Amino acid sequence: MSNIDYSDKIPNNVNLANDRTLQRALEHWQPRFLDWWREMGPNDFASVDVYLRTAVGVDAQGWAHYGTVKMPDYRWGIFLADPIANRTIGFGDSFGQPVWQQVPGEFRSQFRRLIVTQGDTEPASVEQQHRLGHTCPSLYDLRNLFQINVEEGRHLWAMVYILHAYFGRDGREEAEELLARHSGDVDKPRILGTFNEPIEDWLSFFCFCYFTDRDGKFQLKSLAESSFDPLARTCRFMLTEEAHHMFVGETGLGRIVRRTLEVMKEIGSDDPEAIRRRGAVDLPLLQRYLNYWFSSSLDLFGSEVSSNAATTFASGIKGRPDETTQYRDHVCSDSTFEIEVPDGRGGVVKDTSPMRNAMNEVLRDAYVRDCEIGLKRWNMHIKRAGYNFELKLPSSRFRRAIGAWANIPTDLEGRPIGREEYDRSLPGWLPSASDRDYVKSLMQRVVEPGKMAAWIAPPERGVNNLPVDYEYVRLN
Ligand SMILES: [Fe+2]
Ligand SMILES: [Fe+2]
């Protein structure tokens, strides 16, 4: 297995020292990255000690080292999963041929666009979360936020390495641009809509990790299948880190549900007002946040039917998540996929698309199924506590801005409804101004080791076998 060299200025397992030109180019980018981190990252916490994990290998076992670091000293580096010997192309027209170690000229611009779009989301999320540290519900959560932030920074490095190493001058320019666009900036916003929405409270943060980061997981999974082997290996290792981000989202929302159920038991009521008087998050409020973040994240997958998706699949650029293990037909040249689209008269009609053109929808379907897992678990807790309230994902047609259902008013079940009814109902389906004010009022920072804010239950265990009341962040 390839070891990570930490004596280098830029830790890496890609033999950077053997390519002086590339090394110099990346060393030139490094101080710019650090400037960006200081300006746009969790900069108010630059001098605090944080218990963080850092990658030290790319093995499934023992790949991370845990220790206390100040975030600006984190060793961001370039880590690729080990190559698979004799790997062949797993899907599309060139199925079975050897994978590419360089980008084929004819696919260059498509690859560049995909890599830049993925790369753009990484620093975007750090920017979105930039002030959250001030309102953390516990030191444990604060540490998890910072862990995610440094790893999203590392994911930016992962994409910048690919751009620098394989895309020449264009790649270097794109790497500069990745630091020049900013989340929510009027003149130079981030590329994708969801990554320009501010995350000002921890309920939104946990929803973001659960829904939006999970989109990232699915994009990475499909790029991990790519015929361009360095990209596939980069994404495979990113997924190892990404698992923690999913964990933070799922357990964060689960702990909120647990705390709410405790309060409901204590007061013997599920009345939202009574629950709010005790400083917890009532379940209908949580549901409205889920509706918001789920529908917003669905758009990230693109249109249901897309000629672009067909081309990237056919040419071996981007596969389906778990292409090798989940599917039998890896070519999909004559299969079809059924989708439901609006019929233009307020109804729904079934439509058949060539499978390749429906790849975005195939990905979105897999994503929706993955999103359901957490809800099932939380609903089990609610049921066990004796309440018949069920958290639900809205229909994937609800509140869409991209694709066949863009701007088609539907209810939460995806039934097309009149515009007036939609406008009237929407405030009850999404977080209202008073919901947001209430959530904001809950955001009081708790920094005593082991203590939790009143709206969230403690985690079941601490980080890396340490106790929950360990001082994960030393604030002075
Ligand atoms: Fe990431
Ligand atoms: Fe992530």
Side-chain angles (χ1 to χ4, degrees), residues 93 313 329-336 354-356:
D93 289 337
F313 185 85
D329 174 9
H330 300 297
V331 180
C332 301
S333 53
D334 40 35
S335 49
T336 56
M355 180 65 88
R356 288 179 170 188

Side-chain angles (χ1 to χ4, degrees), residues 160-466:
V160 163
Y161 164 70
I162 297 286
L163 287 169
H164 269 244
Y166 298 94
F167 291 85
R169 189 177 162 176
D170 306 0
R172 289 193 294 277
E173 281 170 13
E174 293 285 13
E176 297 292 321
E177 286 298 297
L178 284 169
L179 298 176
R181 285 184 293 271
H182 298 307
S183 179
D185 192 304
V186 234
D187 299 318
K188 264 181 164 276
R190 290 296 176 182
I191 297 170
L192 300 169
T194 313
F195 291 88
N196 287 301
E197 290 171 29
I199 302 176
E200 280 159 349
D201 63 77
W202 282 74
L203 180 51
S204 299
F205 170 65
F206 290 130
C207 287
F208 179 93
C209 293
Y210 189 78
F211 290 113
T212 313
D213 247 357
R214 192 177 306 273
D215 157 72
K217 168 182 158 184
F218 276 78
Q219 301 303 336
L220 290 176
K221 266 174 162 292
S222 51
L223 291 175
E225 302 289 334
S226 180
S227 314
F228 176 34
D229 203 43
L231 176 64
R233 291 169 54 204
T234 302
C235 292
R236 253 168 53 218
F237 187 67
M238 289 164 79
L239 282 163
T240 316
E241 295 166 312
E242 203 63 44
H244 174 253
H245 312 178
M246 307 289 102
F247 166 86
V248 169
E250 180 171 344
T251 54
L253 294 173
R255 288 162 54 209
I256 294 175
V257 172
R258 253 175 48 217
R259 177 61 192 147
T260 303
L261 293 172
E262 271 170 28
V263 168
M264 282 158 71
K265 196 174 163 193
E266 280 164 26
I267 61 175
S269 161
D270 59 1
D271 172 38
E273 282 312 311
I275 293 167
R276 290 189 187 193
R277 278 196 295 274
R278 295 291 299 274
V281 175
D282 50 291
L283 298 178
L285 170 64
L286 174 59
Q287 178 66 64
R288 289 191 285 276
Y289 271 75
L290 300 183
N291 293 344
Y292 177 85
W293 284 100
F294 177 66
S295 52
S296 157
S297 304
L298 285 173
D299 276 335
L300 295 168
F301 291 86
S303 291
E304 286 80 358
V305 177
S306 152
S307 57
N308 195 31
T311 316
T312 48
F313 185 85
S315 30
I317 294 174
K318 184 180 171 190
R320 290 167 291 187
D322 307 302
E323 180 69 48
T324 2
T325 52
Q326 289 298 304
Y327 302 93
R328 282 221 187 121
D329 174 9
H330 300 297
V331 180
C332 301
S333 53
D334 40 35
S335 49
T336 56
F337 190 83
E338 203 165 77
I339 46 168
E340 290 177 329
V341 293
D343 68 359
R345 284 166 288 136
V348 186
V349 67
K350 284 200 188 335
D351 198 8
T352 305
S353 156
M355 180 65 88
R356 288 179 170 188
N357 293 67
M359 285 306 174
N360 289 343
E361 194 58 14
V362 171
L363 219 71
R364 184 162 28 229
D365 273 357
Y367 166 81
V368 172
R369 284 196 300 277
D370 206 47
C371 286
E372 273 161 358
I373 296 171
L375 274 90
K376 262 191 207 137
R377 191 165 303 154
W378 309 328
N379 282 331
M380 209 172 65
H381 291 305
I382 299 173
K383 206 172 156 197
R384 275 206 203 124
Y387 294 96
N388 64 3
F389 183 94
E390 208 181 309
L391 294 165
K392 284 193 193 111
L393 294 179
S395 159
S396 57
R397 301 175 200 156
F398 172 70
R399 201 177 79 98
R400 292 290 302 282
I402 287 174
W405 291 93
N407 304 315
I408 305 273
T410 80
D411 62 13
L412 291 172
E413 279 77 41
R415 281 185 293 263
I417 55 173
R419 173 66 61 186
E420 259 179 36
E421 188 188 346
Y422 179 76
D423 289 341
R424 219 177 326 115
S425 312
L426 202 59
W429 291 336
L430 298 178
S432 65
S434 77
D435 287 344
R436 291 194 185 276
D437 283 347
Y438 174 66
V439 171
K440 202 171 161 197
S441 77
L442 295 180
M443 297 299 124
Q444 310 289 338
R445 77 180 197 147
V446 176
V447 291
E448 197 182 305
K451 262 201 97 182
M452 299 288 139
W455 52 270
I456 192 162
E460 272 165 33
R461 57 187 73 86
V463 180
N464 195 30
N465 295 322
L466 289 173

